[in-house]
Amino acid sequence: MSGDQKTELIIPVYLNQRAVFDLIAMLQGGISTVTRITSSEFYSDKNQQQYGAAFGLNKAFSTLLKIDLSGGRKKATEDTSGIQKAEERVHTPASMFQSLRENLIDRGELKIVDAEYKPKVRDFIEFTAQLRKNPIIQTMDTLVGLMEMAILFSDEPPKKQKQSKGKSREIDSNKIIKKQMEQFLESLKTGDTVDIVSNKLICGFKTVITLEREFLNDPTMSDLVDGQFNVLGKVIRVINNKDDSISLIRKTAMSAMPEKIMNEVFSGLSTLSSEEGFKIPPIELDIKGPVIQVLPIAIFA
């Protein structure tokens, strides 16, 4: 990594401050968030006075002779003074992360992901990728929104019109389905962590990035999608073969259901997307290998 890249100015959109403080304390045997800087400045002032007496000659005459006919002496005094200033510079979480990043680079402990990189558990890595929300959460958010629209347009007609029993049952059924979707979506969003994913990296691996919600700049994660970001974190799981995967619903009770039943549950939704023309994100319950799972310290631009 070049010196410019190491010291470039960054804007974090996710920063695990607890991890930053802990790692700096481990590396430096303690942590200081305030730096005291003392500087001294010296000033020298020189005052010069001239005392003189002129002879009684005509001014024009003296100029003609190019002789200075005035006699005098000079007195100089010099006064030297010093000013000492002390100031305290407070480190912000972002500046401390920058210090941690530079420290890891200098120690050779930060792996920059390139085409030759082979992931290992416990590696500190940094990579650039386009990020997106957990696909199953994004899909369910879209479906709940569509169900709300369906119920809105098929809700009770004006009082003068009578509603058929079949139509009434359809509305009730839509409301039940919407409630079930909301309950499933809520189970996906419970807990203090949430997954986001990336496209395939230059090394051939996809990533599942597990975030802690409290360190997000924006709880809706709108600032994390549709852009290129750098991710610095620690690898906690590596899956090399295509037969294994990382589940995106592992926090829910549904993860205990057989895969066959899960596919049947979501097959209807896939049909709705492909055959009826709805722009619903693809339904992904897991991310197939090769894939790595990363605990991020920071995501920044």
Side-chain angles (χ1 to χ4, degrees), residues 134 136 188 195 197 208 210 237 239 244-252 254-256 262 284-288 291 293:
N134 186 328
I136 185 63
L188 289 171
D195 291 330
V197 299
V208 174
T210 303
R237 189 178 179 188
I239 294 175
D244 203 354
S245 63
I246 296 177
S247 173
L248 297 176
I249 58 172
R250 61 188 182 280
K251 296 191 301 179
T252 70
M254 193 172 284
S255 62
M262 290 290 296
E284 298 178 74
L285 300 178
D286 51 23
I287 303 297
K288 301 289 185 183
V291 60
Q293 187 174 0

Side-chain angles (χ1 to χ4, degrees), residues 6 12 45 66 75 85 153 171 175 252 258 260 269:
K6 187 173 76 169
D45 293 329
K66 297 183 181 179
K75 180 182 178 182
K85 297 188 298 184
F153 286 109
I171 293 173
K175 289 181 178 180
T252 70
K260 182 179 179 181
L269 300 179

